Amino acid sequence: MSSAKTEPKITPDVVKAHGLKPDEYDHFVKLLGREPSFTELGICSAMWNEHCSYKSSKKWLRQLPTKGPRVIQGPGENAGVVDVGDGQAIIFKMESHNHPSFIEPYQGATTGVGGILRDVFTMGARPIAAVNALRFGAPDHPRTRHLVGGVVAGVGGYGNSFGVPTVAGEVNFHARYNGNILVNAMAVGIADADKIFYSKAEGVGLPVVYLGAKTGRDGIHGATMASAEFDDKAEEKRPTVQVGDPFTEKCLLEACLELMASGAVIAIQDMGAAGLTCSAVEMGAKGDLGIELDLDKVPCRETHMTAYEMMLSESQERMLMVLRPEKEKEAEAIFRKWGLDFAIVGKTTDTLRFVIKHQGEVKADLPIKAMGDEAPEYDRPWVEPKKPAHVKPDDVPAPNDLSAVILKIVGSPDMASRRWVWEQYDSLIGSNTAQIPGGDAGVVRISDKKAIAVSSDVTPRYVEADPFEGGKQAVAECWRNLCAVGAEPIAVTDNLNFGNPERPEIMGQFVFALKGIGEACRALDFPIVSGNVSLYNETNGQAILPTPTIGGVGLIRDWTRMATVRFKNEGDAILLLGGHGNHMGQTIYMREVHGREDGAPPPVDLARERRHGDFVRDLINNQAVTAVHDISDGGLVSAVIEMALAGNLGATIDAMDHVKLYAEDQSRYVMTCPAIEAAKIITQAHVKGIDVIRIGTVTGEQSVRTGSTAVALAALRDAHEGWLPRLMQGGV
């Protein structure tokens, strides 16, 4: 093969800049039997980096439960697919865009949303819901306001313009995210169960077609940058951030769905991380085929682009497809109608080689399987995390002024209302949203009666303290949030955000968090059908809190019976399911009142979790309860306050000490029901071995009262809903 004379010489520094370790580069040279060209080095760096190859995590991901009676497609495709009956399938996945969003928050978040939407509609689904999970640094860090404002504007700007409702999410603050924020985006789509499209190329000599927007120089080395730690020069990586256009993506969605309906598509793949390189290699490798590309045919929006630049560009709103030849003219007409590029840029071959031609020269000739599904895989050293000591309830001091503590906690960074965030998202577009953000889960109708519930959850401080229990708890809380609206939890996607896996203590966090996640998913019949791993989330050696975000989907058979968190009726009984708690380690109370982030997180009894969730769903489906809210951060009193504020009704609950009010024991819910029905529900629960007690009453008073302590709803609302707007106005 020939190589352009103008290509840079490959030196150890050039190899290092491409993210390849010396032994990886040596292995690559042995595979080729010669020194690579500069373009080949770029392709290898893209395919073998952590973001694309999962080389540090594959071993452990294989241990997760991925099958179930509803699972049509598990991990390994653009997104997971589950059967929801009546010929319908739900397609969903979560992805990270952490590093780009720290460097350029608006475009980083925007293209994160755009990328996950493409993952879903590439498989033939129309997106019906978006979810996000955002983590920022300390509120008083000088960059936090800028990052929050940019990310939220980016998430809303893309989703609102594209036309998908954002119906759920979470936002947290902690100093460990100061140098590396997290932006996890999830999309959910609906398709006919018998019309799912896959990325595996089939057939020799078939046209490989480029679809969508033109290729530019934005995003080059994006995947490599996402596979490395940050240092003080992170700002210099701004050119590696892609630029998104939601209006082009909307046209791409409609064109793809029309093309799919025409019968022209054999295989289709989103151009996401590593762009044209990753999409072509994955399609060919999965189908045991070679791919030959002629880059002279690639639509470019910039002049004099090199083969290296075209292969590594992460320009947005692009797809790659293997086409039925007889449908070529029909397919092209569809894309031209939508104002999008359509170009035959290559063909499938039987050579198992990935061949790139440009301006009459072969720029790359690589073994396609070695680049794709046979990339390096590591069993990195890990150490088992040490178990923290339990905090005894008696060792947690009581507050001098309970009213002041209640107001402080309800308006603290992790407990304050996220209304300022979600009101910037269009949660109702499409007219099928049955429950907007602010409750336990978002709900979107998929037929006259059926609906899908979605939630994203993880408590990073729990995972930091005990990765195994923290991993279990992330799944359990997602399960509870779905159950709390009346949904049957059916499947999970995950976004596993951790630090540098080359550090044994970080790898130990990862290993044990996955053990916990796997155990919980098996116990709850909650299979993982898709996901993403994001490693090297650290700056100057300071890792983020381990944050394995769990995105869950549940099925509601009759959405008119779903539950919400808001108090409905004065005089309703307030019930506590799961009993009083006494676990104070790692609680919001400990952190906000005493400045302590120590102790073991609350343990998770998965059999109890399942029993309680099933019982709550039965109550909701039988319309026996009027409001439901799971107990998580901030304990029992925080859940009651959120229900009161949502319904603008007061509550009187039993006199309790600070431990019962703020313990974060798991498997618990607050429910309301007509007072006359309370005894019946309590009896039903006890028959099933479930602890349900009456703890209070919904009142017409504009306050929440426990014993002799009463706090006005107006004061609670000001603290709860005022904190985030004040932060963004510079007043916190």
Side-chain angles (χ1 to χ4, degrees), residues 45-347:
S45 78
M47 291 307 303
W48 286 9
N49 65 48
E50 198 72 60
H51 191 76
C52 293
S53 73
Y54 288 30
K55 58 191 176 187
S56 298
S57 57
K58 277 182 189 174
K59 168 185 168 71
W60 303 102
L61 295 175
R62 291 191 190 101
Q63 299 178 23
L64 295 173
T66 59
K67 299 185 184 304
R70 291 189 180 275
V71 178
I72 296 173
Q73 174 65 52
E77 269 294 338
N78 285 295
V81 187
V82 292
D83 191 324
V84 291
D86 306 311
Q88 293 178 306
I90 293 296
I91 298 178
F92 65 102
K93 189 183 181 184
M94 185 179 284
E95 280 269 9
S96 60
H97 233 222
N98 304 335
H99 286 55
S101 298
F102 181 78
I103 296 166
E104 211 302 303
Y106 183 87
Q107 290 297 347
T110 283
T111 50
V113 173
I116 199 63
L117 289 169
R118 284 196 305 280
D119 279 339
V120 164
F121 72 73
T122 300
M123 299 197 69
R126 180 172 291 279
I128 58 169
V131 179
N132 56 77
L134 313 176
R135 263 85 196 181
F136 299 101
D140 59 357
H141 188 271
R143 290 205 66 191
T144 295
R145 281 176 57 215
H146 164 71
L147 292 168
V148 172
V151 166
V152 171
V155 169
Y158 206 99
N160 298 354
S161 301
F162 178 84
V164 62
T166 300
V167 299
E170 53 183 344
V171 182
N172 288 107
F173 297 86
H174 195 281
R176 289 277 290 281
Y177 302 107
N178 282 350
N180 201 125
I181 65 172
L182 300 184
V183 174
N184 295 169
M186 176 177 169
V188 182
I190 190 165
D192 291 339
D194 60 350
K195 293 178 182 148
I196 309 300
F197 290 82
Y198 299 96
S199 59
K200 177 182 174 182
E202 295 178 350
V204 175
L206 298 180
V208 175
V209 186
Y210 174 113
L211 308 167
K214 288 180 168 57
T215 294
R217 289 188 171 93
D218 53 320
I220 294 172
H221 287 310
T224 303
M225 177 266 291
S227 303
E229 298 177 36
F230 279 156
D231 54 25
D232 293 327
K233 298 180 180 178
E235 287 288 329
E236 296 175 8
K237 298 183 180 181
R238 192 179 299 271
T240 62
V241 178
Q242 313 92 324
V243 177
D245 178 355
F247 301 105
T248 297
E249 179 127 326
K250 174 65 171 173
C251 292
L252 184 62
L253 161 71
E254 300 300 342
C256 282
L257 293 183
E258 189 174 337
L259 185 66
M260 290 164 173
S262 76
V265 178
I266 293 174
I268 188 164
Q269 175 75 35
D270 159 43
M271 283 196 224
L276 191 53
T277 288
C278 195
S279 55
V281 169
E282 287 186 1
M283 290 175 77
K286 283 180 183 175
D288 291 322
L289 294 170
I291 298 278
E292 185 176 302
L293 297 179
D294 180 355
L295 299 188
D296 294 344
K297 306 288 180 61
V298 171
C300 294
R301 67 169 185 261
E302 299 184 45
T303 58
H304 308 301
M305 288 190 72
T306 65
Y308 178 95
E309 290 173 328
M310 279 189 266
M311 292 309 297
L312 296 188
S313 167
E314 293 185 8
S315 294
Q316 297 292 284
E317 293 86 41
R318 302 179 301 159
M319 300 278 197
L320 202 64
M321 176 184 71
V322 176
L323 174 72
R324 297 189 191 283
E326 68 275 15
K327 296 277 190 178
E328 179 186 327
K329 292 199 181 311
E330 182 182 354
E332 182 171 3
I334 289 170
F335 270 74
R336 299 293 182 209
K337 179 183 78 173
W338 286 99
L340 298 167
D341 278 294
F342 176 101
I344 295 176
V345 296
K347 63 183 179 181

Side-chain angles (χ1 to χ4, degrees), residues 64-69 71 82 92 186 453-457 471-483 487-494 517-530 550-555 606 609-610 617:
L64 295 173
T66 59
K67 299 185 184 304
V71 178
V82 292
F92 65 102
M186 176 177 169
V454 291
S455 180
S456 67
D457 299 281
K472 283 165 59 180
Q473 191 274 340
V475 176
E477 186 172 347
C478 188
W479 163 275
R480 281 200 305 277
N481 281 329
L482 297 174
C483 290
E488 173 199 351
I490 55 176
V492 162
T493 185
D494 59 31
I517 289 168
E519 182 170 305
C521 287
R522 277 185 286 271
L524 298 172
D525 287 333
F526 209 18
I528 298 173
V529 298
S530 60
I550 300 296
V553 172
L555 177 63
L606 293 166
E609 198 73 65
R610 181 166 189 154
R617 279 202 315 281

Side-chain angles (χ1 to χ4, degrees), residues 5 9 79 98 108 201 254 293 309 314 368 378 384 386 436 496 505 508 512 537 550 625 636 654 657 695:
K5 294 178 182 176
K9 185 176 183 205
N98 304 335
E254 300 300 342
L293 297 179
E309 290 173 328
E314 293 185 8
I368 199 164
Y378 297 126
E384 182 171 347
K386 293 180 180 177
I436 64 172
L496 307 173
E505 67 275 18
F512 276 79
N537 288 291
I550 300 296
V625 287
L636 169 61
D654 297 342
D657 65 17
I695 60 166

Side-chain angles (χ1 to χ4, degrees), residues 410-428:
V410 82
S412 63
D414 276 358
M415 295 303 298
S417 169
R418 283 13 184 173
R419 181 183 296 275
W420 182 90
V421 172
W422 56 257
E423 282 192 341
Q424 296 185 53
Y425 306 151
D426 190 335
S427 300
L428 297 171

